[in-house]
Amino acid sequence: MNMVSSKIQAALPDSPALARAFERLARGKRADLLANLVELEGHCELEGTQARTHCYALALDGMGWPRSDLLVESICDFVIDYAIPRSKINEAVKSCEEAGHQGALVRLAKEARSLFTHLNQSGEGGELLLYCLAETLLGFPQIMAKMHLKTAPELHYNGADGVHASVDPASGQLCLWWGESKMHKTATGAIRECMASLVPFLVEPQSATAKRSRDLQLLRYGIDLDDKLLEQAIKAYLDTSNRLYGKLKFGGIGLVGFNDACYPPHPKKADADAIAEAVTKNLVAWKTSLGKRIDTHQLREIDMHLFFLPFPSVDAFRKKFLAEVGAR
């Protein structure tokens, strides 16, 4: 082990330096995302578990329409950040400064959009929304742009929908957050599928055949934070032969989006308070369903953040997203 690696390993496990680095890396402003969302519950502990629940409803515009389309447009402002490695973004910014125009960033935006699939049933809109929630509301930065690893836009990448990071404030441990987004016609279906997708990343013992193994391998070789010292530090935790691997924690972030009748069919009948009341009432059942799934999958001791977001139509959200990224 060289001197630099020794210093990194000695400094990080209980040091706030890594936490401050992640705070700097997290993108987006909370107020911008919440222009189109109404927070009805945040960071609420689910009794008997280590899960925290978050519940949002779509905000209404001046005419009473739920701001689903505007939400799509706002998250699409993050397509470059989500899909392109940080070093490549920083190179483009530098190129723009040197050239005196924004051509490099325009090309990067085209490249980012070209990575999204054309499939009608694509879940990539939900995956981008999950990214924005994790970065903006939780402050957990994405530590690898997996979209850039796709071999063809029609394909979805394997593994988790996202990989984010934070430092546990109590223990100082590095925590990797595996993200899964599910957009479904029903809340029960979205919860069931989200939990089933998260389970392998959270409970399987580490081995060459564990579902998270490929993502960990990609992180070890492909992490790009445009900060070599920070990358080396994180890689030390990801190395299963390194003692720091024993100080690595795993957690889950889930987004469950689903159709809900809380939004009236005609905007003139929309009332923000009535929508909030209906969603809050239904939230009791959604959390009960989530608790049962946590029990089924033996996830009570696993740190998780679960976001509930009802839509007038998840299909309309998906179609708008495909149009916005140029897939339709």
Side-chain angles (χ1 to χ4, degrees):
M1 184 184 300
N2 62 41
M3 185 176 295
V4 173
S5 297
S6 298
K7 289 181 178 179
I8 291 170
Q9 291 191 22
L12 283 174
D14 300 311
S15 171
L18 195 58
R20 291 196 300 269
F22 288 147
E23 288 175 3
R24 293 193 298 270
L25 289 173
R27 291 150 160 161
K29 295 180 179 179
R30 181 181 178 88
D32 292 340
L33 190 59
L34 293 184
N36 298 306
L37 295 174
V38 177
E39 184 180 58
L40 301 177
E41 178 179 277
H43 293 274
C44 183
E45 294 182 6
L46 188 63
E47 186 177 357
T49 76
Q50 295 300 311
R52 272 87 60 187
T53 58
H54 311 256
C55 183
Y56 293 83
L58 293 170
L60 304 178
D61 66 16
M63 296 297 292
W65 290 106
R67 299 179 63 160
S68 181
D69 285 359
L70 291 174
L71 175 63
V72 172
E73 292 173 9
S74 70
I75 66 174
C76 283
D77 288 344
F78 289 84
V79 293
I80 295 178
D81 303 296
Y82 173 60
I84 305 297
R86 287 178 184 264
S87 61
K88 195 167 184 179
I89 295 173
N90 291 340
E91 287 174 6
V93 171
K94 184 178 179 180
S95 177
C96 290
E97 292 173 350
E98 293 174 350
H101 60 78
Q102 306 305 310
L105 285 174
V106 171
R107 292 191 294 274
L108 213 57
K110 290 180 179 178
E111 178 182 341
R113 281 175 163 76
S114 74
L115 296 172
F116 289 89
T117 181
H118 293 188
L119 300 174
N120 287 326
Q121 294 304 309
S122 169
E124 290 177 343
E127 293 164 14
L128 179 58
L129 177 54
L130 173 68
Y131 163 88
C132 292
L133 293 170
E135 291 258 347
T136 303
L137 300 185
L138 297 179
F140 299 167
Q142 175 180 263
I143 59 173
M144 181 174 64
K146 293 183 68 178
M147 285 286 287
H148 202 251
L149 302 175
K150 290 173 67 172
T151 56
E154 291 78 15
L155 300 176
H156 287 89
Y157 50 72
N158 294 321
D161 290 344
V163 187
H164 295 255
S166 73
V167 173
D168 186 306
S171 67
Q173 291 175 285
L174 174 65
C175 187
L176 291 188
W177 298 91
W178 307 98
E180 285 291 337
S181 166
K182 297 299 177 184
M183 307 290 278
H184 199 277
K185 289 182 179 180
T186 67
T188 301
I191 293 167
R192 179 185 64 248
E193 293 182 7
C194 184
M195 289 295 99
S197 294
L198 278 173
V199 168
F201 296 98
L202 301 176
V203 301
E204 287 185 3
Q206 184 56 33
S207 70
T209 59
K211 190 169 183 179
R212 62 174 171 264
S213 289
R214 180 54 179 161
D215 277 358
L216 288 174
Q217 185 181 48
L218 291 172
L219 280 169
R220 285 194 293 269
Y221 294 107
I223 188 170
D224 186 335
L225 303 175
D226 204 24
D227 183 327
K228 295 301 180 185
L229 190 63
L230 181 58
E231 291 166 10
Q232 289 174 16
I234 295 174
K235 286 178 182 178
Y237 283 93
L238 300 176
D239 184 354
T240 55
S241 66
N242 193 301
R243 64 179 178 82
L244 287 180
Y245 182 79
K247 297 181 179 293
L248 178 64
K249 289 180 59 177
F250 297 128
I253 307 174
L255 166 63
V256 289
F258 45 88
N259 295 343
D260 195 87
C262 64
Y263 304 100
H266 195 285
K268 286 187 177 180
K269 295 183 180 296
D271 178 87
D273 291 337
I275 292 171
E277 183 178 352
V279 172
T280 301
K281 182 178 179 180
N282 291 337
L283 180 58
V284 176
W286 302 337
K287 291 168 72 170
T288 298
S289 178
L290 173 61
K292 290 179 179 178
R293 288 292 161 184
I294 288 175
D295 278 342
T296 297
H297 296 298
Q298 299 181 344
L299 295 172
R300 281 185 171 270
E301 303 304 318
I302 303 296
D303 287 339
M304 289 187 289
H305 288 272
L306 279 302
F307 289 87
F308 296 105
L309 180 54
F311 286 88
S313 169
V314 293
D315 283 341
F317 171 88
R318 186 178 291 111
K319 289 176 182 177
K320 172 63 176 177
F321 177 77
L322 289 171
E324 190 68 19
V325 296
R328 284 291 181 272

